[in-house]
Amino acid sequence: MTGKKKRSYKRPDGSVYQRGRKWAYAFQGPEHPLTGIREQIRKSGYETEDDAWAGMEEARAALVTETYVKPSRATINDFFEQYFPYARLTVEATTAANYETLARTYVMPIVGRRLMQDFVPSMVAALYEHLLTEGRQKHNTNGEMYELWKAACAANLEIRPREIADKVGVTYAAARRAVRRYEVGRIPKPYQPGLAPKTVKSVHIMLSSAMSVAGLWKYISLNPIRSVKAPSVPRRNHSTWTPEQMMLFLEHVRHHRWYALWVLEASTGVRRSELCGVEIAAFDLSKKVVRVAATTRVIAAGKVVTGSGKSQKSRRLLALDSFTTGVLTVHFQQLEKEKQDWGDAYQDHGLAFCWEDGRPIYPDTITEEFNRIVDFLGLPKIRFHDVRHTYATISLRAGVHPKIVSSRLGHATVAFTLDTYSADIEDLDRDAAEAVIGLFLPPSQKGLA
């Protein structure tokens, strides 16, 4: 008769017992540092007795290193509902809003009901795979609006934005903007069930931050995101204009109310949020400089909020060229005249770019006006943010040192600037190759180069 093999090592104080078909452990924890009371620590759900003993030993080791996490039935949804208010207090408003959108859209609907303590690296990896293959929302409103509009055009019928809005379930304003896009050739890309790697990488960044907080709050013992790599994002060329195309745009908007805004964007590459938030006081036109990103205005969860820039490097002093300085001088004179004309009705926010009565400009309005002008001129369709990329590539091609370009753009490092735009300036790489070989090529061989 063979009996059960005895364990060869001494078992610690505590007990292991069977609970239904599973095994559990229980032992007295250390004294509480304030009350002196010893709490009993227990956990169940182990498949075998040995697993329960091993689990108890792990719990004891975690207590010694103060990494022990009490067993909890808290779900991933439970944690995020606690995390969102904390994020709104500790990070920039846009970052907090983006984190909440990413979590509510791509994480909570899929794994939100699972326990936080089950959120292990293998689950994270499976989540990323799901998002990359079938993570896109099924209700593709832009695609649905386009199909309705396209079908009406094919049948030679008129379809009004109100009808599209009612059928798809969007606002009238959204349907009207969509129809305007379609009429000038801005049509949605074919529907893909999977998310872009860049979007999943954003989810990864959000989860990394959130799970770090979860560890500090003792929801989990280790951050599972540290053991999972984000999807690689293919490098792509940016959509930019040539100097001639930029010149055509600026020539057309010479009499536009926002001419100074367009010129400042083209000559400095500042972000839209920086344009919307920059104040008149930030400019010293006698010295031809502007202090950027002391205040920004961004959209967070559909509302405009005031921020303080993306990073420390984004708060910077920019030199202005003589032409931009002259345009801004005229612009500020016009603002002062409008302020006097409106009198007490003027809403003085101190902004450099605003409406005639001083009201701030909604950031998306700038983008919509930019798109309207681009479509009217028949220029290559680029985003307003691509004017920033245009400034960067033109500057690098003009021979401006990458360190200066990086500083003027407000990038964290020069390496980031070069990595971001290396695919856009391949011609500079070829020029460098020819220039270097010309320095040491023997005279007799120069004719062969």
Side-chain angles (χ1 to χ4, degrees):
M1 180 177 177
T2 59
K4 185 175 181 179
K5 186 177 179 180
K6 300 292 185 181
R7 295 173 68 90
S8 60
Y9 54 87
K10 183 180 178 181
R11 290 175 175 172
D13 294 335
S15 61
V16 166
Y17 54 93
Q18 201 162 8
R19 188 174 182 182
R21 295 187 177 183
K22 302 287 185 177
W23 289 83
Y25 70 73
F27 67 94
Q28 291 293 324
E31 292 183 354
H32 189 280
L34 296 179
T35 65
I37 298 175
R38 299 183 68 182
E39 179 184 8
Q40 188 170 60
I41 295 174
R42 62 177 73 239
K43 186 177 181 182
S44 61
Y46 292 98
E47 295 294 334
T48 67
E49 180 182 4
D50 282 351
D51 289 344
W53 281 109
M56 183 164 63
E57 290 167 4
E58 291 177 4
R60 288 181 179 277
L63 284 167
V64 172
T65 58
E66 297 186 348
T67 59
Y68 174 74
V69 175
K70 185 178 180 180
S72 169
R73 302 298 296 175
T75 65
I76 294 172
N77 282 346
D78 294 334
F79 163 72
F80 272 115
E81 294 300 346
Q82 295 293 319
Y83 171 72
F84 295 145
Y86 175 77
R88 288 192 284 269
L89 293 174
T90 55
V91 300
E92 284 286 332
T94 47
T95 302
N98 287 338
Y99 280 4
E100 183 166 353
T101 299
L102 290 168
R104 291 193 184 279
T105 306
Y106 303 123
V107 178
M108 296 170 70
I110 301 169
V111 297
R113 295 184 180 181
R114 298 290 301 271
L115 297 180
M116 272 295 290
Q117 294 181 0
D118 290 341
F119 200 40
V120 294
S122 59
M123 187 191 296
V124 176
L127 172 64
Y128 290 175
E129 181 181 11
H130 172 82
L131 293 177
L132 288 168
T133 56
E134 50 184 308
R136 193 175 296 278
Q137 289 182 305
K138 304 302 181 184
H139 191 43
N140 178 21
T141 56
N142 192 25
E144 291 177 19
M145 288 191 290
Y146 176 64
E147 290 301 325
L148 286 171
W149 179 83
K150 185 171 69 171
C153 291
N156 201 26
L157 298 173
E158 181 183 3
I159 185 168
R160 298 183 180 279
R162 176 63 66 189
E163 184 180 352
I164 293 176
D166 292 341
K167 288 185 176 181
V168 179
V170 298
T171 65
Y172 170 73
R176 185 181 58 188
R177 289 195 299 268
V179 169
R180 288 176 179 172
R181 292 197 303 269
Y182 308 152
E183 289 175 341
V184 296
R186 293 180 182 268
I187 63 176
K189 296 179 181 179
Y191 176 79
Q192 298 291 336
L195 296 176
K198 184 177 180 181
T199 303
V200 182
K201 186 173 183 179
S202 297
V203 173
H204 175 84
I205 294 171
M206 177 275 296
L207 284 175
S208 180
S209 177
M211 292 304 113
S212 294
V213 174
L216 294 174
W217 289 356
K218 298 300 183 183
Y219 276 91
I220 53 178
S221 57
L222 296 173
N223 186 343
I225 312 303
R226 293 178 181 173
S227 302
V228 183
K229 291 184 65 176
S232 59
V233 179
R235 181 179 297 177
R236 64 176 182 84
N237 288 8
H238 295 98
S239 299
T240 58
W241 280 343
T242 64
E244 293 74 19
Q245 290 165 338
M246 191 75 249
M247 186 186 308
L248 176 62
F249 177 88
L250 293 178
E251 177 65 23
H252 177 77
V253 296
R254 274 192 311 124
H255 302 295
H256 195 284
R257 172 172 180 78
W258 299 340
Y259 180 50
L261 182 150
W262 308 127
V263 169
L264 184 62
E265 172 65 16
S267 64
T268 62
V270 294
R271 301 176 178 91
R272 188 184 73 172
S273 61
E274 296 166 344
L275 285 171
C276 292
V278 67
E279 298 177 350
I280 299 174
F283 292 85
D284 187 339
L285 297 186
S286 64
K287 296 181 178 179
K288 297 183 181 179
V289 294
V290 57
R291 186 164 297 280
V292 178
T295 304
T296 60
R297 296 183 73 249
V298 294
I299 299 175
K303 298 180 180 179
V304 178
V305 297
T306 300
S308 56
K310 291 190 68 175
S311 66
Q312 186 61 41
K313 287 292 183 70
S314 68
R315 293 181 277 280
R316 60 206 186 277
L317 188 68
L318 280 182
L320 301 173
D321 61 272
S322 298
F323 176 75
T324 302
T325 302
V327 171
L328 286 167
T329 299
V330 173
H331 175 71
F332 291 152
Q333 290 171 350
Q334 178 64 26
L335 289 184
E336 187 60 32
K337 181 179 183 302
E338 290 170 350
K339 186 176 181 179
Q340 294 175 2
D341 291 343
W342 281 80
D344 294 339
Y346 190 82
Q347 302 178 31
D348 193 354
H349 297 276
L351 295 173
F353 304 108
C354 56
W355 295 109
E356 291 87 344
D357 60 354
R359 286 179 297 118
I361 302 169
Y362 189 70
D364 280 352
T365 302
I366 294 175
T367 300
E368 291 170 6
E369 180 66 2
F370 174 79
N371 291 342
R372 186 192 66 78
I373 297 170
V374 170
D375 294 336
F376 176 80
L377 294 175
L379 286 167
K381 292 176 173 56
I382 65 173
R383 303 170 304 164
F384 181 66
H385 188 74
D386 289 327
V387 179
R388 174 175 168 85
H389 297 319
T390 297
Y391 167 80
T393 54
I394 290 177
S395 297
L396 291 169
R397 284 197 172 96
V400 180
H401 195 284
K403 171 63 177 175
I404 302 300
V405 177
S406 179
S407 176
R408 287 178 67 81
L409 291 173
H411 285 166
T413 64
V414 181
F416 176 81
T417 305
L418 292 174
D419 187 57
T420 300
Y421 296 109
S422 59
D424 299 297
I425 51 175
E426 294 176 354
D427 51 328
L428 294 187
D429 183 60
R430 289 192 295 271
D431 292 345
E434 296 294 341
V436 171
I437 193 64
L439 295 176
F440 53 78
L441 196 66
S444 60
Q445 300 296 314
K446 286 188 176 181
L448 302 176

